[in-house]
Each structure stands twice: as C-alpha cells, then as structure tokens.
Amino acid sequence: MADTYDFAAVERAAQERWEREGIYRAADSDPRPKYYVLEMLPYPSGDLHVGHAKNYTLGDAVARSMRMLGYNVLHPMGWDAFGLPAENAAIQRGIDPATWTRSNIANMQRQIRLMGTSYDWSREIATCDPEYYRWNQWLFLRLYEEGLAYKREAPVNWCPKDQTVLANEQVIDGRCWRCSTLVERRNLSQWFLKITAYADRLLNDLDKLEGWPERTRTMQRNWIGRSEGTQFSFAVDGADATIDVFTTRVDTVFGVTFLAIAPEHPVVETLKGIISKKNAAAIEAFAESLRSKSELERTSLMEKDGFFTGAYAINPLSHERVPIWVTNYVLADYGTGAVMGVPAHDERDFDFAKKHALPIAQVISAPGGEIAGPLEAAYTDDGRLIASGDYSGMSSERARQAIAERFAAMGIGGKVVNFRFRDWLVSRQRYWGTPIPIVYCDACGEVPVPDDQLPIILPADVPITGEGSPLARDAAFVNATCPKCGGAARRESDTMDTFFESSWYYLRYLDPRNAERPWEPGKARHWMNVDQYIGGAEHAVLHLLYSRFFYKFFRDKGWTDGRDEPFERLFHQGMVLCNGEKMSKSRGNVVGIDETAQKNGVDAMRLFLLYVTPPEDTSDWTDEGINGRVRFLNRVWRACEPYLAAAKAVSPRVLPPTSTPDEKALVRAVHVAAKCAIDEVASRRFHFNTVIAKLDELVNAMTSAAQKMPESPAFLYAVHALPLLLAPYAPHIADELWSRLGYDASIHLERVIEPDDAALAVDEITLVVQVNGKIRARIQAAPGIGEDDAFALAMADANVQSQLDGKQIRKRIYVPDKLVNIVVG
C-alpha cells in the first residue's frame, strides 16, 4: 500500500471532468430552492497568491455545502476590469490597457480554476467588455432621466500623479488610495450621482440587515452621518447678503462671537466689495495657499487658522455684530460652507478663540451650577440657558425647539436634517473606464446619447501619458454629432468611476448574454437577493454602500422585486499573512498559488486555508501548517483506498450494525462530523476549521480501525462516508475516492449525510468532579443523569472522599452531563 497518492493526477482529472460535464451550471428552471453565493469580483491584477485564495476557497466551500444540502446554487465569477492599474501599465511598460487586462484575466481565471472552485463559468463577465459597459451607460441615462445624475462645478480631490479626480472615500489619510500621493483640491465640472436622495433609506434599512457584521453597519451609519438641527441665516452688515449656518446646538446662538466661512464661499465676493483692498487681497492669498491642501488636511491635520475679513454679520436674535472670519477648516461644499463660532460651548471654537483673542461668552450653565469666572475649557453638555434674552432659564432641549420655531416664524430658518456624506462623484479623467453617454451641443446644450447609439465604444490606440484625460485629446472620439439637431457636438471625455460597474454586476450574472436589457426582471425575481456575499471589510463604505443605493433605485423602477437590499448576508474574511506580514512582492514573502498547487496540492492548500483559523480571523501561512494538511490527506488515502472494494457493499445512507464500543464510537465520529458541517453552514458562521478538526478525529479513528477491524461494517461504513464528508473542502480527492467506489456521477451531485440521533447517542458520558473548583475525579455515568444521582456517584469516588475529609459541604453545583462541583468549608 502506497503511503501517498498522486495528488497532481487526481486533481487534474477531477477538474477536467467537472469542466467536461458542466456540473456547476445553475439552471433557472431547477425546481430546488435557490441559493446565490457570491464573492466580490476581483480586479485582474495579474497573479494570485494564497491570501487571495482564502476568499475563493471559503466561498467555494459554502457553495459546495449548499449544493449537497439540496439547493440549486448560483456561484458565478467575473472581473472588475476597468481602472487605473491598466493605464499605469500602459505608461510604465507601453502595454495597451486592454491587452494587459485580457492577459491578466486569462492567467487569473486559470489560477482560480486550478483552485478547484465550483464556479458557473458560463456566466462569466468582464466589466471592460462593451456588452457589459453598454449597460453602465444605459443605467447612467436612467439615473439622468430621474435627476439622479447631474453635473456641477465643485471642489474635488485631485491626484496630481494619476491626474484624476478621487471620491472622498478614495482619499486615505490625505493620500490617493492607489498611489499614496498627497491629494490636492481643485474646482472642476464633474458628474455626480445623487446618492443623498436615498440617505434616509440607506440609513434606516441598515437595521434590517441582520445578516451583516455590526461593525460594517456601524461604519455605514457613521459615514452617512445623519444629524438633526437648525439651519438659519445671519445677515451681512452693510451688504444685501446672508450667510446660512447649520447647527445641532442652536440653544447656544446667543454665545456666537464669530462666524467662520470657507475662503471659497460665494459670499466672499460680496464681502470683497465692503472691505479694504488689503483684506480682499489677503483672502485671495489665503485661498490660494489652501488649493493644494486635501480635505483631510484642512479639517483634521492642519492647525486651525484664519483671519478677520473686516466684515460683520448680525446675530438674528441678539442683534449683535459678529466678526466674519475666513478659516482653513471650513469647506465650501460641506454643509453650508459656514459655521457659527461659539467658543464657550465648542472645543474647536474655544481653541480658535484663545489663539485669536476672541470673546468667549458663556450662555449655557450646568444644571444647578454657578458661574465661577472665565471658563477654563468649553462646556459642551446641555444645561440651562443664561444671558440668552427671553430664553434664559430654559433647558437646552426646550430652547432648541423654541429658537427653531422663532427662526421659522421670522422666515430665516427652521429645523432640518443634515447628512455627513455627500453625492457620489463619478467623473474620472481616465481612458480605461466606461465613457459617460453625454454630448455637448452649442445649440442644444447637454444632450444624453440615445439608447440605440449605445454602447459608446472606447477608441483603441489612444496615447496614454499619465497626464490629463487621454480621451479629451482624441479628436476622433470627442468630435460627435448632436442627437437632437444633427449639428456638431463635443462628446463627454470623462469616464465613470469603476465603482459604478461593480455596484450592479451581481444582477448581470443572472442574465449575462441578454442583448435587450441589463437583466430580465423575472430572473431577478427568481435569484435575488444574494443569499451570501463574501469579501473584504475594506469595502464597507465604498462598494457596499453604492450597491445598496443602486439596488434601491432598481427596486423603485420595478426592475427587481422583494426587499430593496441586494445582499441578505455579508461575511468578511480575514487576511493571510506570511511571517507576520501582509504578502507583497516588495517584501519577498508572496506564497503563490501555482507553486503551492505544484508542491503540496490544491486540496491541501484549501484545507490549510479553511483549518488554520476561523475564516474571519487573520491567519499566518506556515510550512508546518501546509505540510500537516498534506499528511492528513495521505492518511485519508491510506484509510480509504485499500478498502473501497469491500466498502461498496455498505451504504453510507444506512447505519451499520455495531456490537462493540469501538464500532459505535467510529460510527458516531462520522455523524459528529456530519452534524458539525451542517451546523456551520446553517448558522452561517462557516467555521469549517471545526469541521476539519472533527474529520481529523474521524480519520485517526479510521486509521486505528483499519488495523483492528478492517472487515467491520462500521469501518467500511466510515470508508464509504468519508468522501461525502470531505467533499466541500477537499473536492478532488473526495471525487476520486467516490469514483473508485464505483459511482458514475460526481460526488458533488450527491446529498450530505444527514446526522442520525441514534448514531450520535452515547452510552456513557464523562462527568468532571471538582472540589472547591479543582478537578479531583472523572467518572462515567449514563447520559441525562440527574443531579442527585450524579452527586452520589461523585461522593462515592475515593479521591473525592479524601478531599472532603469530614469537611462541611456548603454548596453543590451541577452542569448536566458535564460537571459536579462540591464547595466545602
């Protein structure tokens, strides 16, 4: 008997068979209950390592488990293929982005197939295909028709290296999320999607996503950032202008001692007409000094600074003149672009007032508190109003209501709800993306491209230098005909943010070859929602939020049915490190999929990734760990292969006769593993590491049984059952053993072994006996033994009696079938 098996030959043959027989194709007409499991589609970066494999292995184990539980499983794969890396490759290596992308897709598809994954490749998509991005453009036009896609000039995050605009979420610590270059702020005319129109629904419906990690839901809540407050206006003294502010603490309005406005605020031009030329020039210089500063730098990293413009506003209640300051920490496109400064009751304002010697006027006192001289720090809690005119003596809560009502009566404001997040900026000055379907005509203005002219194809052979928009320099692309009047027009040269196409791709999988519409609504009714979505937590406020927005829009349009959320359950897998560090080529610690498959086998790699830690935890790749899984599979082979001919006669669906404790224990081990596997899937914990630990125990028991009782029906039953138990995790060796058992169909078309209560029952249980919390004995007892009988057995144990030694028993604690604890004095 060989100690090892030829894993390479086994894995190659299994994969060829699966492909040939098409066993993983999901039929829309299948009468079984549907289950849609999906891993976030990957960017085709070139080469995968075992860290990437963890995500796909986990999703594949879920898909295989659900098939064996009797579900019609949809498990597709595709490619998030547009984006900057392809353009960077074009710049650095002179490779056409399409050529670079297609080559990477081919290699990564080969590697993902090599992993033994059960994807339905007949549904494969790539977002850079015109057949796909045509529907990006079609969806953009539907958003445009509803007023949810619009263009305006706005300050944007600009990456000077990549020469493109970044969404707020793509700026990490003031740097570009892709190249880490410091981000600047510039004013450009940009396309936006009005995600804020769905703010309340996006926020409120998070409570319904019980299958999502709470941390992810909290991140989205914080990003959306709903706040209730009051918006009102200050009149500018000496000018026909007002300055709007929003505050959640309008009860402090009598304590306003300055207004802080952004240097880009529209009112600045009015102020320049009533202040000195020197101050006007200073404002322009101050604004210029901030143009290269990112939003994060201005709001969080820079020291708060500013200067007095020389102009004043009028407090609408106290009628006092309030100095207007231009500051670096207020942004023109955030909120109203102006903030009322209340140093006594806001920490930032307090620090700013101290630095610039501004008055600090306390107008809130702690309940029952006395004013004991100047404040040493801002008092930020609610309290009682003081020095606040008619509102003095009111509680903060009551005053907020009363003052908001007063502003409403005056016609200058009232209660409003604000959100922290802003509309989604989707314009990108890139080549490798979806062209935006708009043209500009001198006669007709902004004109959407008609549906029958879609897709607008990306032109080939466009020079990519890394500076500016490549499409804007391509005359053949830009020069167009107006669809309305037939005159000369200019085509929009911006392309879409790549998060656009990844916000709806899960629906295209349902109908990937449909040339008439992005998907057939009937197929969405059948397959949606995605039952289990798997991917990294880094997408919590990017892809996941945008996908929720899109799906709610689709539901409103009647293109989908049921819940207006795309992903029923969400799971974030942990990372795989090597030597305690993230894998990267620069560190030289990348463990490749190809080399691992060649050296250790795919099944061993899959088992290691599923076994080393719970899937949500970070794990470390080790040679010792992968070698342990190789040894395990060889033990499986030795415990099964020599006995397959005899095992054919013993059905894994019928409990075998057992007459000895060893036989009963072996059959029970089969059903313990079967129950554990079903429980992990049913609970959606996916802790397959615990299942594999049970399989370890089973194989150890089978190895022993092979020596002691190779002809026992119980042993042969375990031999026949083990491939079924192993199939979701090590699919190749399981299918090979199944085939050698004489089956024509793949094991992956079989049902799981249903755990049997009779097989799981035990004749005896072990009770741990403690005296004052220390273990003093382990005794055998019948399952379900009562407390009095368990206590009597414990008291009869000689070691327990010696520990008692005549001492008084003060208390006894019983955990059924597990523990007796005797507390003595």
Side-chain angles (χ1 to χ4, degrees):
M1 179 176 66
D3 288 340
T4 62
Y5 74 105
D6 187 351
F7 62 77
V10 165
E11 291 169 358
R12 182 171 57 253
Q15 291 177 15
E16 289 174 354
R17 178 188 183 185
W18 301 336
E19 180 68 22
R20 184 173 63 251
E21 297 178 0
I23 64 173
Y24 303 127
R25 292 192 177 187
D28 297 337
S29 58
D30 194 309
R32 294 175 296 171
K34 71 93 179 177
Y35 190 82
Y36 188 179
V37 57
L38 185 63
E39 298 91 70
M40 294 180 185
L41 83 170
Y43 182 80
S45 55
D47 212 26
L48 296 175
H49 56 64
V50 295
H52 301 112
K54 180 176 180 178
N55 186 33
Y56 309 126
T57 300
L58 174 62
D60 191 62
V62 173
R64 291 183 181 280
S65 297
M66 295 304 292
R67 283 193 195 93
M68 296 185 74
L69 282 167
Y71 287 84
N72 180 29
V73 173
L74 175 59
H75 190 210
M77 175 53 67
W79 313 99
D80 189 10
F82 274 140
L84 271 175
E87 291 195 29
N88 291 338
I91 296 166
Q92 296 164 10
R93 286 170 266 175
I95 303 173
D96 176 67
T99 301
W100 185 84
T101 301
R102 299 292 179 187
S103 174
N104 289 347
I105 287 175
N107 184 57
M108 288 175 60
Q109 190 205 77
R110 176 191 63 78
Q111 289 185 306
I112 291 176
R113 286 179 182 270
L114 179 64
M115 283 185 251
T117 48
S118 59
Y119 292 116
D120 181 351
W121 288 104
S122 70
R123 297 173 182 264
E124 181 184 14
I125 60 172
T127 61
C128 64
D129 289 338
E131 295 81 6
Y132 185 91
Y133 68 72
R134 166 192 181 181
W135 300 111
N136 284 344
Q137 295 167 347
W138 186 90
L139 290 171
F140 181 94
L141 292 172
R142 305 293 81 80
L143 290 160
Y144 183 84
E145 290 167 356
E146 298 293 331
L148 295 173
Y150 66 94
K151 195 172 191 182
R152 65 176 172 86
E153 187 162 295
V156 296
N157 303 309
W158 177 262
C159 176
K161 180 178 179 182
D162 290 332
Q163 295 285 296
T164 192
V165 173
L166 302 174
N168 296 313
E169 300 90 336
Q170 294 170 321
V171 179
I172 310 299
D173 295 333
R175 295 179 179 272
C176 174
W177 73 314
R178 289 199 183 275
C179 66
S180 297
T181 301
L182 278 173
V183 171
E184 300 176 355
R185 298 287 287 175
R186 292 190 181 182
N187 276 333
L188 291 176
S189 185
Q190 303 289 304
W191 283 99
F192 290 82
L193 298 185
K194 199 171 185 180
I195 190 173
T196 53
Y198 284 76
D200 279 317
R201 288 168 64 184
L202 288 168
L203 181 65
N204 295 336
D205 289 351
L206 286 168
D207 293 336
K208 302 175 184 177
L209 297 177
E210 297 177 356
W212 283 40
E214 182 55 38
R215 180 171 178 268
T216 299
R217 292 195 289 174
T218 298
M219 290 173 70
Q220 287 208 7
R221 287 189 190 100
N222 292 342
W223 185 259
I224 295 169
R226 186 181 191 275
S227 58
E228 296 182 3
T230 303
Q231 185 165 311
F232 65 100
S233 58
F234 286 78
V236 177
D237 191 18
D240 184 17
T242 58
I243 299 174
D244 289 341
V245 298
F246 170 84
T247 179
T248 60
R249 292 297 307 273
V250 75
D251 53 315
T252 66
V253 67
F254 282 86
V256 175
T257 61
F258 69 97
L259 284 187
I261 66 172
E264 306 89 356
H265 195 292
V267 80
V268 168
E269 290 305 312
T270 300
L271 299 183
K272 288 178 182 178
I274 61 172
I275 61 178
S276 68
K277 292 182 178 179
K278 180 180 178 181
N279 281 3
I283 291 176
E284 292 180 2
F286 187 67
E288 183 61 34
S289 72
L290 297 175
R291 292 198 199 284
S292 63
K293 303 302 180 185
S294 70
E295 180 176 312
L296 182 72
E297 286 179 292
R298 286 180 58 174
T299 57
S300 301
L301 303 180
M302 297 176 66
E303 183 180 358
K304 305 300 179 283
D305 203 0
F307 70 92
F308 174 42
T309 62
Y312 291 84
I314 304 300
N315 187 311
L317 292 185
S318 70
H319 306 296
E320 294 179 346
R321 297 175 81 221
V322 178
I324 301 172
W325 283 64
V326 168
T327 64
N328 60 356
Y329 60 87
V330 180
L331 306 176
D333 63 334
Y334 189 80
T336 65
V339 175
M340 68 180 206
V342 187
H345 304 293
D346 181 273
E347 293 176 356
R348 182 182 63 182
D349 294 346
F350 184 87
D351 293 340
F352 190 86
K354 283 288 189 181
K355 178 179 178 180
H356 296 285
L358 292 169
I360 299 174
Q362 183 177 359
V363 294
I364 306 288
S365 67
E370 298 292 332
I371 301 176
L375 290 170
E376 296 298 323
Y379 176 74
T380 58
D381 293 337
D382 280 2
R384 292 283 172 183
L385 271 66
I386 59 174
S388 298
D390 295 340
Y391 305 94
S392 294
M394 285 187 182
S395 67
S396 288
E397 183 177 4
R398 182 185 171 197
R400 283 193 285 270
Q401 178 69 27
I403 294 172
E405 291 174 355
R406 176 61 180 156
F407 285 152
M410 294 169 65
I412 62 169
K415 282 192 168 185
V416 298
V417 174
N418 265 8
F419 293 92
R420 177 181 177 271
F421 82 146
R422 284 164 276 180
D423 285 341
W424 174 11
L425 191 159
V426 294
S427 285
R428 297 294 181 268
Q429 289 67 48
R430 301 174 185 161
Y431 164 74
W432 193 235
T434 298
I436 293 175
I438 297 290
V439 299
Y440 304 97
C441 172
D442 289 341
C444 304
E446 190 178 276
V447 182
V449 174
D451 289 353
D452 60 10
Q453 293 183 22
L454 302 179
I456 301 167
I457 299 290
L458 273 177
D461 303 321
V462 174
I464 301 173
T465 64
E467 298 179 1
S469 169
L471 291 177
R473 297 192 300 268
D474 188 75
F477 177 81
V478 171
N479 295 331
T481 300
C482 176
K484 275 190 175 181
C485 70
R490 177 178 58 83
R491 194 180 300 282
E492 172 64 71
S493 60
D494 283 0
T495 55
M496 297 183 197
D497 180 10
T498 56
F499 282 108
F500 192 105
E501 51 254 28
S502 64
S503 295
W504 70 276
Y505 76 101
Y506 45 88
L507 283 159
R508 187 61 176 172
Y509 281 140
L510 311 184
D511 207 4
R513 308 295 170 248
N514 193 329
E516 302 300 322
R517 58 182 67 188
W519 65 86
E520 175 62 45
K523 295 191 176 187
R525 280 194 296 272
H526 175 70
W527 284 110
M528 291 301 289
N529 302 352
V530 176
D531 294 280
Q532 185 64 60
Y533 202 33
I534 302 172
E538 66 272 15
H539 296 294
V541 293
L542 287 166
H543 160 63
L544 290 170
L545 186 63
Y546 296 154
S547 295
R548 295 181 61 225
F549 162 48
F550 267 36
Y551 201 74
K552 290 180 186 301
F553 173 68
F554 301 156
R555 183 68 183 83
D556 291 348
K557 297 294 288 183
W559 302 335
T560 62
D561 283 348
R563 289 185 63 178
D564 60 355
E565 291 286 343
F567 311 122
E568 195 68 23
R569 303 189 68 88
L570 174 67
F571 191 96
H572 295 313
Q573 84 284 357
M575 295 175 59
V576 179
L577 308 179
C578 185
N579 302 322
E581 295 183 312
K582 185 177 179 180
M583 293 186 193
S584 71
K585 292 180 181 179
S586 61
R587 294 190 181 99
N589 67 343
V590 171
V591 180
I593 287 173
D594 289 300
E595 64 188 76
T596 304
Q598 182 178 5
K599 180 180 178 181
N600 307 115
V602 171
D603 281 343
M605 179 183 70
R606 290 171 59 105
L607 286 170
F608 173 85
L609 293 169
L610 294 171
Y611 177 69
V612 63
T613 60
E616 67 271 23
D617 292 349
T618 295
S619 54
D620 210 340
W621 182 271
T622 64
D623 290 339
E624 179 182 2
I626 185 66
N627 290 336
R629 294 302 92 198
V630 171
R631 291 193 297 271
F632 167 75
L633 288 170
N634 285 324
R635 290 203 314 276
V636 168
W637 188 262
R638 293 194 298 270
C640 290
E641 199 279 334
Y643 311 100
L644 295 174
K648 292 179 184 179
V650 181
S651 171
R653 308 296 182 185
V654 179
L655 288 181
T658 55
S659 57
T660 68
D662 285 347
E663 287 179 325
K664 290 179 180 179
L666 185 56
V667 173
R668 184 173 187 275
V670 169
H671 285 261
V672 166
K675 184 177 186 303
C676 184
I678 292 174
D679 288 349
E680 287 304 324
V681 175
S683 68
R684 305 301 189 260
R685 291 196 324 154
F686 306 134
H687 283 192
F688 298 127
N689 56 307
T690 63
V691 184
I692 296 170
K694 300 300 182 186
L695 293 174
D696 271 346
E697 296 172 5
L698 173 59
V699 172
N700 287 340
M702 290 174 64
T703 301
S704 176
Q707 302 298 317
K708 298 177 182 178
M709 48 182 187
E711 297 180 359
S712 163
F715 170 66
L716 297 177
Y717 171 81
V719 169
H720 207 145
L722 182 58
L724 289 166
L725 299 172
L726 197 59
Y729 323 114
H732 306 88
I733 191 173
D735 217 2
E736 178 67 18
L737 292 172
W738 195 249
S739 177
R740 293 190 181 208
L741 279 163
Y743 293 96
D744 293 328
S746 169
I747 196 171
H748 303 295
L749 300 176
E750 293 287 333
R751 291 283 302 227
V752 297
I753 292 177
E754 296 288 348
D756 189 289
D757 289 341
L760 289 167
V762 291
D763 296 330
E764 287 187 330
I765 51 96
T766 299
L767 283 174
V768 174
V769 182
Q770 295 178 338
V771 178
N772 288 345
K774 293 186 178 180
I775 297 175
R776 298 304 181 186
R778 287 182 170 86
I779 56 178
Q780 303 305 119
I785 186 173
E787 180 177 348
D788 290 340
D789 291 338
F791 182 71
L793 280 176
M795 292 295 291
D797 185 88
N799 192 41
V800 172
Q801 290 178 359
S802 68
Q803 294 296 320
L804 298 179
D805 193 24
K807 298 173 184 175
Q808 181 182 1
I809 298 175
R810 298 186 178 277
K811 187 178 182 181
R812 69 187 194 187
I813 300 168
Y814 180 56
V815 179
D817 286 356
K818 292 183 179 180
L819 174 73
V820 174
N821 187 12
I822 302 169
V823 181
V824 298

